[in-house]
Amino acid sequence: MKMQWAKRYSQIVWLVMMAVSLMAVANIIECDILLQSGCWPIFGTIGIAAIKATVFTLILELSVRRKWVFIVVLSLGDIYIFLTLLHCIGWLAFGFGISRTALTIIYETNRREITEFLPMIGPGIFNAFSRNVLLFISGFLIALDCALNLKKKYYRVIAGVLSLVGIIYVATDYRNAFRNSLAFTIWSSAKGVVQDVAKTRSYMANIRPLPYADSTRSDHRAANVVVIIGESASRDHLSLYGYPLKTTPRMDAIADSLFIFNDAVASSFTTSYNMPRLLSFMPSGWKNAEEERPWYEYPSVFTLFQRFGYHTEWISNQEKTGNLSNLSAILTQSADRVKYGGKLCSDDVSAYRCDELLLPYYFEAIRHEAPYKLIFLHLLGSHTMYKMRYPDNRQAFSEEDVWPLVNNRKWMDSKKARTIACYDSSIAYTDSIIDVVRKSLAVSKSPCLFVYLSDHGQLVYDDRDYDGRDERYVRVPFVIYANDAYRKANPGLISRIAAAVDRPFSTADMIYLLISLTGSEYMLYDSRRDPVSPDFQSSPRYVDCDVFGERGLKELPVSRRKTQRPATEHGS
Protein backbone atom coordinates (compact mmCIF):
# COMPACT_ATOMS: atom_id res chain seq x y z
CA MET A 1 0.00 0.00 0.00
CA LYS A 2 2.84 2.36 0.83
CA MET A 3 4.52 1.98 -2.57
CA GLN A 4 1.19 2.20 -4.36
CA TRP A 5 0.26 5.45 -2.51
CA ALA A 6 3.69 6.97 -3.09
CA LYS A 7 3.57 6.15 -6.80
CA ARG A 8 0.12 7.64 -7.31
CA TYR A 9 0.00 10.67 -5.04
CA SER A 10 3.43 11.76 -3.84
CA GLN A 11 4.09 13.99 -6.84
CA ILE A 12 0.68 15.66 -6.49
CA VAL A 13 1.16 16.19 -2.74
CA TRP A 14 4.63 17.65 -3.32
CA LEU A 15 3.38 20.06 -5.98
CA VAL A 16 0.40 21.17 -3.87
CA MET A 17 2.57 21.77 -0.81
CA MET A 18 5.15 23.51 -2.99
CA ALA A 19 2.52 25.96 -4.25
CA VAL A 20 1.05 26.50 -0.79
CA SER A 21 4.48 26.99 0.78
CA LEU A 22 5.37 29.57 -1.87
CA MET A 23 2.28 31.53 -0.90
CA ALA A 24 3.11 31.20 2.79
CA VAL A 25 6.72 32.35 2.37
CA ALA A 26 6.21 35.16 -0.09
CA ASN A 27 2.73 36.48 0.79
CA ILE A 28 2.32 36.59 -3.03
CA ILE A 29 2.26 40.38 -3.36
CA GLU A 30 4.95 42.44 -1.69
CA CYS A 31 7.00 40.27 0.61
CA ASP A 32 10.16 42.12 1.62
CA ILE A 33 12.25 39.14 0.45
CA LEU A 34 11.04 39.79 -3.08
CA LEU A 35 11.63 43.55 -2.73
CA GLN A 36 15.34 42.90 -2.31
CA SER A 37 17.59 43.33 -5.32
CA GLY A 38 18.92 40.36 -7.28
CA CYS A 39 17.60 36.90 -8.12
CA TRP A 40 19.05 35.04 -5.14
CA PRO A 41 16.22 35.96 -2.70
CA ILE A 42 13.68 34.71 -5.25
CA PHE A 43 15.53 31.39 -5.72
CA GLY A 44 15.88 31.15 -1.97
CA THR A 45 12.14 31.64 -1.51
CA ILE A 46 11.44 28.84 -3.99
CA GLY A 47 14.01 26.65 -2.25
CA ILE A 48 12.42 27.16 1.18
CA ALA A 49 9.05 26.18 -0.29
CA ALA A 50 10.66 23.06 -1.78
CA ILE A 51 12.10 22.08 1.63
CA LYS A 52 8.65 22.32 3.22
CA ALA A 53 7.00 20.38 0.41
CA THR A 54 9.69 17.67 0.42
CA VAL A 55 9.69 17.21 4.20
CA PHE A 56 5.88 17.04 4.37
CA THR A 57 5.68 14.57 1.48
CA LEU A 58 8.34 12.28 3.01
CA ILE A 59 6.61 12.32 6.41
CA LEU A 60 3.28 11.55 4.78
CA GLU A 61 4.81 8.64 2.83
CA LEU A 62 6.41 7.21 5.97
CA SER A 63 3.16 7.45 7.95
CA VAL A 64 0.98 5.54 5.47
CA ARG A 65 1.25 2.24 7.37
CA ARG A 66 0.06 3.83 10.63
CA LYS A 67 -3.43 5.10 10.00
CA TRP A 68 -3.74 7.41 12.99
CA VAL A 69 -0.32 8.97 12.30
CA PHE A 70 -1.29 9.40 8.65
CA ILE A 71 -4.54 11.14 9.66
CA VAL A 72 -2.71 13.50 12.07
CA VAL A 73 -0.10 14.46 9.46
CA LEU A 74 -2.77 14.95 6.81
CA SER A 75 -4.83 17.09 9.20
CA LEU A 76 -1.83 19.29 9.99
CA GLY A 77 -1.28 19.70 6.25
CA ASP A 78 -4.92 20.69 5.80
CA ILE A 79 -4.63 23.29 8.58
CA TYR A 80 -1.49 24.68 6.97
CA ILE A 81 -3.20 24.93 3.58
CA PHE A 82 -6.26 26.60 5.12
CA LEU A 83 -4.21 29.19 7.02
CA THR A 84 -2.09 29.93 3.96
CA LEU A 85 -5.13 30.44 1.73
CA LEU A 86 -6.74 32.61 4.39
CA HIS A 87 -3.52 34.59 4.69
CA CYS A 88 -3.16 35.18 0.95
CA ILE A 89 -6.82 35.97 0.33
CA GLY A 90 -6.60 38.53 3.13
CA TRP A 91 -3.62 40.18 1.45
CA LEU A 92 -5.33 40.23 -1.93
CA ALA A 93 -8.78 41.32 -0.75
CA PHE A 94 -8.08 43.63 2.19
CA GLY A 95 -4.38 44.58 2.09
CA PHE A 96 -3.28 42.39 5.03
CA GLY A 97 -3.33 38.70 5.87
CA ILE A 98 -2.85 36.88 9.15
CA SER A 99 -0.87 39.66 10.76
CA ARG A 100 -0.65 42.00 13.70
CA THR A 101 -3.23 44.22 12.00
CA ALA A 102 -5.73 41.38 11.60
CA LEU A 103 -5.33 40.20 15.18
CA THR A 104 -5.55 43.77 16.49
CA ILE A 105 -8.77 44.33 14.55
CA ILE A 106 -10.22 41.06 15.87
CA TYR A 107 -9.28 42.02 19.44
CA GLU A 108 -10.78 45.51 19.14
CA THR A 109 -13.93 44.48 17.25
CA ASN A 110 -17.20 43.80 19.03
CA ARG A 111 -19.96 41.39 17.99
CA ARG A 112 -22.02 44.07 16.22
CA GLU A 113 -19.07 45.20 14.10
CA ILE A 114 -18.33 41.60 13.14
CA THR A 115 -21.94 41.17 12.00
CA GLU A 116 -21.67 44.33 9.90
CA PHE A 117 -18.37 43.20 8.39
CA LEU A 118 -19.43 39.69 7.37
CA PRO A 119 -21.37 40.80 4.23
CA MET A 120 -18.19 42.50 2.97
CA ILE A 121 -16.14 39.29 3.04
CA GLY A 122 -17.80 37.64 0.06
CA PRO A 123 -17.25 40.49 -2.42
CA GLY A 124 -13.71 40.97 -1.15
CA ILE A 125 -12.82 37.32 -1.72
CA PHE A 126 -14.51 37.37 -5.13
CA ASN A 127 -12.51 40.43 -6.17
CA ALA A 128 -9.31 38.82 -4.93
CA PHE A 129 -9.92 35.71 -6.98
CA SER A 130 -11.04 37.61 -10.04
CA ARG A 131 -7.92 39.78 -10.06
CA ASN A 132 -5.09 37.46 -9.12
CA VAL A 133 -5.88 34.00 -7.87
CA LEU A 134 -7.50 32.69 -11.04
CA LEU A 135 -4.24 33.35 -12.88
CA PHE A 136 -2.33 31.51 -10.16
CA ILE A 137 -4.74 28.56 -10.28
CA SER A 138 -4.38 28.34 -14.05
CA GLY A 139 -0.60 28.17 -13.72
CA PHE A 140 -0.92 25.57 -10.97
CA LEU A 141 -3.15 23.32 -13.09
CA ILE A 142 -0.66 23.46 -15.95
CA ALA A 143 2.16 22.56 -13.53
CA LEU A 144 0.01 19.74 -12.10
CA ASP A 145 -0.53 18.27 -15.56
CA CYS A 146 3.22 18.38 -16.17
CA ALA A 147 3.89 16.75 -12.81
CA LEU A 148 1.55 13.84 -13.49
CA ASN A 149 3.37 13.12 -16.73
CA LEU A 150 6.81 13.55 -15.21
CA LYS A 151 8.83 10.44 -14.48
CA LYS A 152 9.33 9.80 -10.81
CA LYS A 153 13.13 10.00 -10.96
CA TYR A 154 12.94 13.49 -12.51
CA TYR A 155 10.52 14.63 -9.84
CA ARG A 156 12.91 13.39 -7.16
CA VAL A 157 15.81 15.25 -8.78
CA ILE A 158 13.84 18.50 -9.04
CA ALA A 159 12.67 18.24 -5.43
CA GLY A 160 16.20 17.51 -4.25
CA VAL A 161 17.87 20.33 -6.19
CA LEU A 162 15.33 22.93 -5.11
CA SER A 163 15.54 21.76 -1.50
CA LEU A 164 19.34 22.07 -1.63
CA VAL A 165 18.95 25.65 -2.87
CA GLY A 166 16.63 26.30 0.07
CA ILE A 167 19.12 24.84 2.56
CA ILE A 168 21.90 27.03 1.18
CA TYR A 169 19.67 30.10 1.37
CA VAL A 170 18.65 29.39 4.96
CA ALA A 171 22.30 28.90 5.88
CA THR A 172 23.33 32.23 4.31
CA ASP A 173 20.31 34.37 5.24
CA TYR A 174 18.41 32.51 7.94
CA ARG A 175 16.86 35.66 9.46
CA ASN A 176 14.97 36.60 6.31
CA ALA A 177 14.17 32.96 5.63
CA PHE A 178 12.38 32.44 8.93
CA ARG A 179 11.03 35.98 9.36
CA ASN A 180 8.95 35.64 6.19
CA SER A 181 7.46 32.26 7.01
CA LEU A 182 3.79 31.98 7.89
CA ALA A 183 4.52 30.30 11.22
CA PHE A 184 6.79 33.16 12.28
CA THR A 185 4.25 35.72 11.04
CA ILE A 186 1.47 34.20 13.15
CA TRP A 187 3.69 33.80 16.21
CA SER A 188 5.21 37.30 16.05
CA SER A 189 1.82 38.88 15.33
CA ALA A 190 0.18 37.22 18.31
CA LYS A 191 3.11 38.15 20.54
CA GLY A 192 2.98 41.74 19.27
CA VAL A 193 -0.73 42.11 19.99
CA VAL A 194 -0.24 40.79 23.53
CA GLN A 195 2.55 43.33 24.04
CA ASP A 196 0.43 46.15 22.58
CA VAL A 197 -2.46 45.30 24.88
CA ALA A 198 -0.14 45.21 27.91
CA LYS A 199 1.44 48.52 26.89
CA THR A 200 -1.95 50.18 26.46
CA ARG A 201 -3.25 48.87 29.77
CA SER A 202 -0.08 50.10 31.50
CA TYR A 203 -0.56 53.55 29.98
CA MET A 204 -4.24 53.68 30.93
CA ALA A 205 -3.32 52.72 34.48
CA ASN A 206 -0.82 55.60 34.61
CA ILE A 207 -3.14 58.28 33.21
CA ARG A 208 -3.40 61.16 35.61
CA PRO A 209 -5.78 64.11 35.68
CA LEU A 210 -4.48 67.31 34.11
CA PRO A 211 -2.52 69.06 36.89
CA TYR A 212 -3.47 72.66 37.70
CA ALA A 213 -6.60 72.26 35.59
CA ASP A 214 -8.16 75.32 37.21
CA SER A 215 -5.37 77.48 35.79
CA THR A 216 -6.44 76.89 32.16
CA ARG A 217 -8.00 79.70 30.17
CA SER A 218 -8.20 80.50 26.47
CA ASP A 219 -9.19 83.48 24.32
CA HIS A 220 -9.47 81.12 21.33
CA ARG A 221 -7.52 83.46 19.08
CA ALA A 222 -7.49 80.62 16.54
CA ALA A 223 -10.71 78.78 15.85
CA ASN A 224 -8.98 76.03 13.87
CA VAL A 225 -5.39 74.92 14.42
CA VAL A 226 -3.92 72.22 12.17
CA VAL A 227 -0.56 70.66 13.03
CA ILE A 228 0.97 68.75 10.12
CA ILE A 229 3.72 66.40 11.24
CA GLY A 230 5.83 65.22 8.32
CA GLU A 231 8.15 62.24 8.30
CA SER A 232 11.92 62.20 7.62
CA ALA A 233 11.81 65.49 5.69
CA SER A 234 15.24 67.07 5.70
CA ARG A 235 15.03 70.84 5.65
CA ASP A 236 18.00 70.89 3.28
CA HIS A 237 15.93 69.16 0.58
CA LEU A 238 13.15 71.79 0.56
CA SER A 239 13.43 74.51 -2.07
CA LEU A 240 11.67 76.68 0.52
CA TYR A 241 15.01 76.57 2.36
CA GLY A 242 17.18 77.04 -0.72
CA TYR A 243 17.45 73.54 -2.22
CA PRO A 244 18.17 73.89 -5.97
CA LEU A 245 15.37 71.57 -7.16
CA LYS A 246 11.82 72.93 -6.86
CA THR A 247 10.67 70.40 -4.29
CA THR A 248 8.17 72.79 -2.63
CA PRO A 249 6.78 74.84 -5.53
CA ARG A 250 3.44 75.53 -3.85
CA MET A 251 4.94 76.83 -0.62
CA ASP A 252 7.55 78.74 -2.64
CA ALA A 253 4.76 80.55 -4.49
CA ILE A 254 3.26 81.89 -1.27
CA ALA A 255 6.49 82.24 0.73
CA ASP A 256 5.60 85.83 1.67
CA SER A 257 2.47 84.47 3.39
CA LEU A 258 4.43 81.94 5.43
CA PHE A 259 6.55 82.24 8.53
CA ILE A 260 9.57 80.08 7.76
CA PHE A 261 11.61 79.24 10.85
CA ASN A 262 15.30 78.82 10.05
CA ASP A 263 16.69 77.08 13.11
CA ALA A 264 14.29 74.43 14.41
CA VAL A 265 15.93 71.24 15.69
CA ALA A 266 14.19 67.94 16.44
CA SER A 267 14.79 66.36 19.84
CA SER A 268 15.77 63.03 18.28
CA PHE A 269 16.61 61.49 14.94
CA THR A 270 13.96 58.81 15.51
CA THR A 271 10.18 59.16 15.43
CA SER A 272 9.62 57.12 18.59
CA TYR A 273 11.67 59.49 20.75
CA ASN A 274 10.27 62.63 19.13
CA MET A 275 6.55 61.92 19.42
CA PRO A 276 6.23 62.07 23.26
CA ARG A 277 7.98 65.45 23.16
CA LEU A 278 5.90 66.81 20.29
CA LEU A 279 2.64 65.80 21.96
CA SER A 280 3.26 66.72 25.58
CA PHE A 281 5.26 68.91 27.96
CA MET A 282 8.13 66.42 27.94
CA PRO A 283 11.37 68.39 27.42
CA SER A 284 13.98 67.59 24.78
CA GLY A 285 16.39 66.52 27.53
CA TRP A 286 17.56 66.98 31.10
CA LYS A 287 20.62 68.55 32.63
CA ASN A 288 21.08 65.56 34.90
CA ALA A 289 19.60 62.09 35.32
CA GLU A 290 17.77 63.06 38.52
CA GLU A 291 15.44 65.33 36.54
CA GLU A 292 14.40 62.60 34.11
CA ARG A 293 10.79 61.42 34.32
CA PRO A 294 8.78 58.93 32.22
CA TRP A 295 6.76 60.38 29.34
CA TYR A 296 3.37 59.52 30.84
CA GLU A 297 3.95 61.91 33.75
CA TYR A 298 3.77 64.92 31.42
CA PRO A 299 0.37 66.42 30.46
CA SER A 300 -0.50 65.81 26.82
CA VAL A 301 -1.47 68.44 24.28
CA PHE A 302 -4.85 66.71 23.83
CA THR A 303 -5.97 66.82 27.45
CA LEU A 304 -4.71 70.41 27.76
CA PHE A 305 -6.51 71.72 24.68
CA GLN A 306 -9.68 69.87 25.58
CA ARG A 307 -9.58 71.85 28.80
CA PHE A 308 -9.13 75.01 26.69
CA GLY A 309 -12.38 74.09 24.92
CA TYR A 310 -10.94 72.65 21.71
CA HIS A 311 -12.20 69.53 19.95
CA THR A 312 -9.09 67.44 19.29
CA GLU A 313 -8.44 64.96 16.48
CA TRP A 314 -5.51 62.75 15.51
CA ILE A 315 -5.45 61.63 11.86
CA SER A 316 -2.51 59.44 10.93
CA ASN A 317 -1.12 57.57 7.94
CA GLN A 318 1.44 55.85 10.13
CA GLU A 319 1.15 52.55 11.90
CA LYS A 320 -0.74 51.99 15.10
CA THR A 321 1.23 48.88 16.03
CA GLY A 322 4.23 46.92 14.80
CA ASN A 323 7.98 46.75 15.11
CA LEU A 324 8.37 50.25 13.61
CA SER A 325 5.49 51.85 15.49
CA ASN A 326 5.92 54.68 17.96
CA LEU A 327 4.28 55.95 21.14
CA SER A 328 1.88 58.20 19.23
CA ALA A 329 -0.73 55.43 19.15
CA ILE A 330 -0.83 55.45 22.95
CA LEU A 331 -0.31 59.18 23.44
CA THR A 332 -3.20 60.05 21.14
CA GLN A 333 -5.79 57.88 22.84
CA SER A 334 -6.93 60.89 24.82
CA ALA A 335 -7.89 62.79 21.64
CA ASP A 336 -11.62 63.23 21.02
CA ARG A 337 -11.34 61.35 17.73
CA VAL A 338 -8.56 59.14 16.37
CA LYS A 339 -8.37 57.91 12.79
CA TYR A 340 -5.71 55.74 11.15
CA GLY A 341 -6.13 56.10 7.43
CA GLY A 342 -3.52 53.64 6.17
CA LYS A 343 -1.97 50.53 7.61
CA LEU A 344 -2.49 49.72 11.27
CA CYS A 345 0.77 47.81 11.59
CA SER A 346 4.29 48.52 10.36
CA ASP A 347 4.67 44.85 9.41
CA ASP A 348 2.03 45.12 6.68
CA VAL A 349 4.16 46.15 3.71
CA SER A 350 1.43 46.14 1.08
CA ALA A 351 -0.99 48.09 3.26
CA TYR A 352 1.00 51.31 2.77
CA ARG A 353 -1.09 54.13 1.32
CA CYS A 354 -0.17 57.59 0.10
CA ASP A 355 -0.90 60.57 2.34
CA GLU A 356 -3.74 61.92 0.21
CA LEU A 357 -5.97 59.26 1.74
CA LEU A 358 -6.00 61.41 4.90
CA LEU A 359 -7.64 64.37 3.16
CA PRO A 360 -11.26 63.10 3.37
CA TYR A 361 -10.77 62.56 7.11
CA TYR A 362 -9.23 66.02 7.40
CA PHE A 363 -12.18 67.70 5.67
CA GLU A 364 -14.56 65.77 7.90
CA ALA A 365 -12.63 67.02 10.93
CA ILE A 366 -12.44 70.66 9.81
CA ARG A 367 -16.22 70.66 9.24
CA HIS A 368 -16.93 69.31 12.70
CA GLU A 369 -19.59 71.29 14.52
CA ALA A 370 -17.26 72.21 17.39
CA PRO A 371 -16.43 75.96 17.30
CA TYR A 372 -12.76 75.37 18.17
CA LYS A 373 -10.65 72.52 16.80
CA LEU A 374 -7.10 71.25 17.10
CA ILE A 375 -6.34 68.76 14.34
CA PHE A 376 -3.14 66.77 13.94
CA LEU A 377 -2.23 65.24 10.56
CA HIS A 378 0.56 62.68 10.88
CA LEU A 379 1.97 61.98 7.43
CA LEU A 380 4.03 59.08 6.12
CA GLY A 381 5.85 61.81 4.23
CA SER A 382 9.36 60.79 3.20
CA HIS A 383 9.69 57.58 5.16
CA THR A 384 12.19 55.08 3.79
CA MET A 385 11.16 53.27 0.60
CA TYR A 386 10.61 56.74 -0.82
CA LYS A 387 9.19 55.44 -4.08
CA MET A 388 6.15 54.14 -2.18
CA ARG A 389 5.33 57.51 -0.61
CA TYR A 390 3.57 59.00 -3.64
CA PRO A 391 1.47 57.73 -6.57
CA ASP A 392 3.34 56.51 -9.64
CA ASN A 393 2.12 59.48 -11.67
CA ARG A 394 3.55 61.94 -9.12
CA GLN A 395 7.24 61.23 -9.73
CA ALA A 396 8.44 64.83 -9.81
CA PHE A 397 12.16 64.25 -10.41
CA SER A 398 14.41 61.81 -12.23
CA GLU A 399 18.04 60.75 -12.05
CA GLU A 400 18.81 63.31 -14.77
CA ASP A 401 17.41 66.14 -12.62
CA VAL A 402 19.48 65.15 -9.61
CA TRP A 403 22.76 64.20 -11.26
CA PRO A 404 24.10 67.78 -11.86
CA LEU A 405 23.74 68.43 -8.13
CA VAL A 406 25.56 65.31 -6.94
CA ASN A 407 28.04 64.24 -9.63
CA ASN A 408 30.93 65.71 -7.61
CA ARG A 409 30.32 63.26 -4.76
CA LYS A 410 32.76 60.39 -5.12
CA TRP A 411 30.34 57.87 -3.64
CA MET A 412 27.55 58.72 -6.06
CA ASP A 413 26.24 56.46 -8.83
CA SER A 414 23.06 56.32 -10.93
CA LYS A 415 21.18 54.10 -8.48
CA LYS A 416 21.84 56.48 -5.58
CA ALA A 417 20.88 59.44 -7.75
CA ARG A 418 17.55 57.72 -8.46
CA THR A 419 17.06 57.24 -4.70
CA ILE A 420 17.60 60.97 -4.16
CA ALA A 421 15.15 61.70 -6.99
CA CYS A 422 12.52 59.54 -5.27
CA TYR A 423 13.21 61.24 -1.94
CA ASP A 424 12.85 64.69 -3.50
CA SER A 425 9.65 63.56 -5.22
CA SER A 426 8.24 62.55 -1.82
CA ILE A 427 9.02 66.05 -0.54
CA ALA A 428 7.17 67.55 -3.53
CA TYR A 429 4.21 65.27 -2.86
CA THR A 430 4.07 66.40 0.78
CA ASP A 431 4.10 69.99 -0.49
CA SER A 432 0.91 69.24 -2.44
CA ILE A 433 -0.81 67.81 0.67
CA ILE A 434 0.14 70.88 2.70
CA ASP A 435 -1.23 73.12 -0.05
CA VAL A 436 -4.64 71.45 0.11
CA VAL A 437 -4.79 72.15 3.85
CA ARG A 438 -3.64 75.75 3.34
CA LYS A 439 -6.29 76.45 0.71
CA SER A 440 -9.02 75.11 2.98
CA LEU A 441 -7.93 77.47 5.75
CA ALA A 442 -7.38 80.44 3.43
CA VAL A 443 -11.07 80.63 2.47
CA SER A 444 -12.29 80.32 6.05
CA LYS A 445 -13.81 83.43 7.66
CA SER A 446 -12.70 82.14 11.07
CA PRO A 447 -9.15 82.74 12.31
CA CYS A 448 -7.15 79.67 11.34
CA LEU A 449 -3.54 78.60 11.13
CA PHE A 450 -1.40 75.57 10.48
CA VAL A 451 2.01 74.53 11.73
CA TYR A 452 4.08 72.22 9.53
CA LEU A 453 7.18 70.45 10.79
CA SER A 454 8.93 67.15 10.30
CA ASP A 455 9.56 64.73 13.13
CA HIS A 456 13.24 64.48 12.13
CA GLY A 457 15.47 64.86 9.10
CA GLN A 458 17.10 62.31 6.82
CA LEU A 459 20.56 61.83 5.33
CA VAL A 460 20.22 60.77 1.67
CA TYR A 461 23.81 60.49 0.42
CA ASP A 462 24.30 64.17 1.23
CA ASP A 463 27.75 64.14 2.80
CA ARG A 464 28.73 60.47 2.65
CA ASP A 465 27.72 57.09 1.26
CA TYR A 466 24.71 56.55 3.53
CA ASP A 467 20.93 56.70 3.29
CA GLY A 468 18.98 56.84 6.53
CA ARG A 469 18.56 58.64 9.83
CA ASP A 470 21.56 60.51 11.19
CA GLU A 471 22.04 62.35 14.47
CA ARG A 472 23.38 65.45 12.68
CA TYR A 473 20.41 65.67 10.33
CA VAL A 474 17.89 66.92 12.86
CA ARG A 475 17.32 70.40 11.46
CA VAL A 476 13.76 70.24 10.25
CA PRO A 477 11.38 72.47 8.32
CA PHE A 478 9.13 74.46 10.61
CA VAL A 479 6.52 76.66 8.93
CA ILE A 480 3.49 78.58 10.18
CA TYR A 481 0.64 79.80 7.99
CA ALA A 482 -2.08 82.15 9.29
CA ASN A 483 -5.10 83.07 7.19
CA ASP A 484 -6.34 86.64 6.72
CA ALA A 485 -8.93 86.34 9.49
CA TYR A 486 -6.22 85.33 11.99
CA ARG A 487 -3.87 88.09 10.85
CA LYS A 488 -6.55 90.78 11.16
CA ALA A 489 -7.67 89.56 14.58
CA ASN A 490 -4.16 89.10 16.00
CA PRO A 491 -1.74 91.74 14.63
CA GLY A 492 0.36 91.60 17.79
CA LEU A 493 0.84 87.85 17.55
CA ILE A 494 1.68 88.15 13.84
CA SER A 495 4.44 90.63 14.66
CA ARG A 496 5.83 88.32 17.33
CA ILE A 497 5.83 85.33 14.97
CA ALA A 498 7.61 87.31 12.25
CA ALA A 499 10.25 88.45 14.75
CA ALA A 500 10.95 84.87 15.87
CA VAL A 501 11.82 83.10 12.60
CA ASP A 502 15.59 83.14 13.25
CA ARG A 503 15.44 82.01 16.88
CA PRO A 504 17.07 78.65 17.68
CA PHE A 505 14.59 76.32 19.38
CA SER A 506 13.68 72.66 19.78
CA THR A 507 10.50 71.21 18.31
CA ALA A 508 9.96 69.66 21.76
CA ASP A 509 8.75 73.13 22.79
CA MET A 510 5.93 73.20 20.25
CA ILE A 511 3.26 72.88 22.95
CA TYR A 512 4.30 76.28 24.38
CA LEU A 513 4.02 77.79 20.91
CA LEU A 514 0.49 76.38 20.46
CA ILE A 515 -0.59 77.80 23.79
CA SER A 516 0.67 81.21 22.72
CA LEU A 517 -0.84 81.11 19.21
CA THR A 518 -4.29 80.32 20.60
CA GLY A 519 -4.18 83.00 23.28
CA SER A 520 -4.32 80.45 26.06
CA GLU A 521 -2.95 80.33 29.58
CA TYR A 522 -1.79 77.46 31.78
CA MET A 523 0.25 77.12 34.95
CA LEU A 524 2.95 74.99 33.27
CA TYR A 525 3.39 77.38 30.35
CA ASP A 526 6.98 78.66 30.28
CA SER A 527 7.40 81.78 28.14
CA ARG A 528 11.18 81.24 28.06
CA ARG A 529 10.61 78.11 25.96
CA ASP A 530 8.07 79.68 23.63
CA PRO A 531 9.90 80.81 20.45
CA VAL A 532 7.36 83.57 19.71
CA SER A 533 7.32 84.96 23.24
CA PRO A 534 9.20 88.22 24.01
CA ASP A 535 10.60 86.34 27.03
CA PHE A 536 12.13 83.55 24.92
CA GLN A 537 15.58 82.49 26.05
CA SER A 538 17.92 80.43 23.91
CA SER A 539 18.96 77.32 25.81
CA PRO A 540 20.78 74.04 25.05
CA ARG A 541 18.83 71.87 22.64
CA TYR A 542 19.02 68.16 23.34
CA VAL A 543 19.09 65.49 20.65
CA ASP A 544 18.61 62.05 22.21
CA CYS A 545 19.83 63.49 25.53
CA ASP A 546 23.04 64.96 24.03
CA VAL A 547 23.34 68.72 23.64
CA PHE A 548 23.12 69.68 19.98
CA GLY A 549 26.53 70.95 18.89
CA GLU A 550 28.43 68.92 21.48
CA ARG A 551 29.71 65.33 21.82
CA GLY A 552 29.93 64.75 18.09
CA LEU A 553 26.60 66.37 17.24
CA LYS A 554 28.28 68.82 14.90
CA GLU A 555 25.95 71.54 13.72
CA LEU A 556 25.56 71.68 9.96
CA PRO A 557 25.50 75.07 8.23
CA VAL A 558 22.21 76.91 8.59
CA SER A 559 20.63 78.06 5.33
CA ARG A 560 18.45 81.07 6.01
CA ARG A 561 15.73 82.83 4.11
CA LYS A 562 15.10 86.52 4.31
CA THR A 563 13.20 87.28 7.50
CA GLN A 564 9.53 88.02 6.88
CA ARG A 565 8.21 91.50 7.55
CA PRO A 566 5.76 91.70 10.47
CA ALA A 567 2.90 92.67 8.21
CA THR A 568 -0.65 92.30 9.43
CA GLU A 569 -2.01 91.06 6.11
CA HIS A 570 -0.61 88.79 3.45
CA GLY A 571 -2.12 87.22 0.41
CA SER A 572 -3.62 83.79 0.72
Side-chain angles (χ1 to χ4, degrees), residues 36 79 108 114 218 241-242 272 285 394 401 414 418 423 440 458 498 568:
Q36 298 174 25
I79 294 171
E108 294 180 347
I114 292 175
S218 181
Y241 284 90
S272 58
R394 299 291 296 276
D401 298 318
S414 59
R418 286 195 297 273
Y423 179 76
S440 72
Q458 189 87 338
T568 56

Side-chain angles (χ1 to χ4, degrees), residues 228-234 266 278 452-457 476-478 507:
I228 306 171
I229 303 177
E231 170 67 45
S232 304
S234 173
L278 289 176
Y452 165 66
L453 73 156
S454 181
D455 58 351
H456 56 79
V476 294
F478 198 98
T507 58

Side-chain angles (χ1 to χ4, degrees), residues 18-132:
M18 177 73 178
V20 171
S21 298
L22 272 176
M23 291 190 288
V25 171
N27 295 333
I28 292 183
I29 308 176
E30 291 183 61
C31 170
D32 50 5
I33 281 184
L34 303 181
L35 291 175
Q36 298 174 25
S37 59
C39 296
W40 178 234
I42 297 176
F43 286 124
T45 300
I46 295 172
I48 293 171
I51 293 175
K52 294 181 179 180
T54 301
V55 170
F56 180 81
T57 303
L58 288 174
I59 293 175
L60 200 62
E61 287 179 0
L62 294 173
S63 64
V64 168
R65 290 182 177 178
R66 294 182 179 272
K67 186 175 181 181
W68 68 271
V69 177
F70 180 81
I71 292 173
V72 170
V73 173
L74 201 60
S75 299
L76 291 174
D78 291 339
I79 294 171
Y80 179 64
I81 292 172
F82 171 76
L83 291 174
T84 300
L85 291 175
L86 183 65
H87 182 62
C88 291
I89 290 172
W91 272 80
L92 292 166
F94 308 110
F96 53 84
I98 301 176
S99 63
R100 202 160 172 171
T101 294
L103 298 182
T104 299
I105 291 174
I106 292 171
Y107 174 79
E108 294 180 347
T109 302
N110 57 42
R111 184 179 301 176
R112 178 184 59 81
E113 290 170 330
I114 292 175
T115 305
E116 293 173 352
F117 178 71
L118 285 175
M120 299 168 57
I121 296 179
I125 294 175
F126 176 79
N127 290 332
F129 271 94
S130 64
R131 288 195 306 266
N132 298 283

Side-chain angles (χ1 to χ4, degrees), residues 186-303:
I186 295 174
W187 176 81
S188 62
S189 298
K191 179 182 177 183
V193 171
V194 171
Q195 291 174 342
D196 291 337
V197 171
K199 188 190 300 182
T200 302
R201 287 177 177 172
S202 174
Y203 168 72
M204 299 303 289
N206 284 299
I207 287 181
R208 303 175 184 182
L210 182 72
Y212 313 111
D214 293 339
S215 69
T216 56
R217 191 189 69 81
S218 181
D219 293 335
H220 303 113
R221 292 184 178 274
N224 297 315
V225 179
V226 182
V227 179
I228 306 171
I229 303 177
E231 170 67 45
S232 304
S234 173
R235 187 202 60 181
D236 298 326
H237 278 258
L238 273 68
S239 55
L240 191 67
Y241 284 90
Y243 187 62
L245 294 182
K246 286 291 183 181
T247 54
T248 54
R250 296 165 182 82
M251 283 195 283
D252 295 343
I254 57 150
D256 288 341
S257 299
L258 302 175
F259 298 98
I260 305 161
F261 287 75
N262 293 308
D263 201 0
V265 169
S267 57
S268 174
F269 63 98
T270 64
T271 301
S272 58
Y273 281 94
N274 269 309
M275 296 312 292
R277 293 166 171 83
L278 289 176
L279 302 177
S280 74
F281 280 94
M282 188 175 187
S284 62
W286 300 270
K287 293 180 180 179
N288 53 68
E290 289 72 23
E291 296 179 0
E292 186 172 350
R293 291 157 52 197
W295 56 269
Y296 52 77
E297 290 191 9
Y298 295 93
S300 80
V301 67
F302 299 102
T303 54

